[in-house]
């Protein structure tokens, strides 16, 4: 390879990478925005971690709590599910009529895992049913103005907050998060 080619090759590669990254991103054939694809990728990641951790924690530890007046492990997972259903209401997506009234009172591990899965499916469906134009629509959430996009960001923030809490709870009980082994 000539010296000129050696010098130009990195620049050509940089130009190609830059143009690919700068191009509007859409998922393979789904016609959805870059934001939605990023949201769904992040949702997949946090869901996988929450579900792996919830599965790894022994059923007899679901009632464990770090102190009085603090949510137990099982209650944290049900709080996550409840948050998924509740936050979707700001997008006009009502919770399924058959969800239990008092989610945080569910204590059976398999029931908790099932409700968690179902709540993730619910927010995924809310994401897929919103048009790209809907993402820019204004909504009131907790007394403040935001957009539907802002609601989706809040969903991810809530999930990551409680993933961190769940990791701490698991480690306090001798459970190593499966993805960090």
């Amino acid at each position: 390879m000539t010296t000129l080619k050696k010098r130009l090759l990195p620049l050509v590669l940089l130009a190609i990478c830059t143009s690919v990254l700068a191009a509007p991103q859409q998922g393979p054939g789904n016609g959805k925005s870059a934001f939605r694809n990023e949201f769904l990728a992040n949702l997949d990641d946090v869901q996988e971690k929450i579900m792996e951790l919830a599965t790894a924690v022994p059923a007899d530890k679901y009632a464990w709590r770090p102190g009085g007046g603090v949510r137990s492990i099982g209650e944290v997972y049900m709080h996550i599910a409840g948050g998924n259903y509740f936050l979707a209401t700001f997008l006009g997506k009502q919770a399924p009529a058959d969800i239990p009234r008092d989610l945080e009172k569910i204590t059976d591990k398999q029931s908790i895992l099932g409700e968690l899965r179902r709540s993730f499916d619910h927010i995924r469906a809310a994401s897929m049913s919103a048009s790209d134009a809907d993402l820019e629509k204004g909504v009131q959430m907790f007394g403040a103005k935001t957009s539907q996009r802002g609601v989706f960001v809040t969903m991810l923030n809530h999930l990551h907050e409680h993933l961190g809490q769940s990791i701490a709870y698991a480690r306090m009980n001798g459970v190593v998060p499966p993805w960090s082994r």
Side-chain angles (χ1 to χ4, degrees):
M1 189 182 287
T2 66
T3 304
L4 181 60
K5 286 182 182 177
K6 284 181 182 176
R7 287 185 181 159
L8 287 178
L9 183 60
L11 293 174
V12 170
L13 290 174
L14 178 63
I16 291 169
C17 290
T18 303
S19 67
V20 167
L21 292 174
Q25 301 293 309
Q26 292 192 339
N30 73 7
K32 299 296 183 179
S33 69
F35 173 81
R36 185 182 337 272
N37 290 331
E38 291 165 352
F39 170 80
L40 291 169
N42 199 306
L43 180 64
D44 288 345
D45 179 61
V46 73
Q47 176 182 357
E48 182 178 342
K49 288 178 177 167
I50 288 171
M51 295 306 297
E52 284 181 10
L53 192 57
T55 300
V57 172
D60 65 334
K61 296 293 185 183
Y62 268 55
W64 181 89
R65 63 184 75 242
V70 180
R71 286 186 179 105
S72 69
I73 289 174
E75 289 168 345
V76 169
Y77 291 133
M78 287 293 75
H79 173 77
I80 291 169
N84 288 347
Y85 292 129
F86 175 67
L87 290 170
T89 65
F90 292 105
L91 304 168
K93 182 92 170 160
Q94 298 306 311
D98 64 337
I99 65 165
R101 278 219 178 284
D102 247 345
L103 281 175
E104 290 189 31
K105 301 248 189 243
I106 297 173
T107 58
D108 172 70
K109 179 178 176 176
Q110 293 310 311
S111 298
I112 289 171
L113 292 172
E115 204 57 58
L116 268 173
R117 269 188 221 94
R118 190 163 82 136
S119 75
F120 278 110
D121 291 345
H122 184 73
I123 58 174
R124 187 169 283 99
S127 166
M128 295 309 294
S129 68
S131 71
D132 289 346
D134 288 341
L135 294 174
E136 305 309 320
K137 287 182 182 173
V139 297
Q140 284 285 323
M141 185 169 70
F142 307 121
K145 284 185 174 186
T146 190
S147 64
Q148 286 194 10
R149 180 190 322 269
V151 175
F152 286 115
V153 170
T154 299
M155 288 174 173
L156 291 174
N157 287 341
H158 184 253
L159 290 166
H160 283 284
E161 174 186 348
H162 292 296
L163 171 60
Q165 179 184 19
S166 299
I167 292 168
Y169 280 22
R171 287 193 179 274
M172 292 170 77
N173 281 280
V175 177
V176 176
W179 63 90
S180 68
R181 290 185 186 144

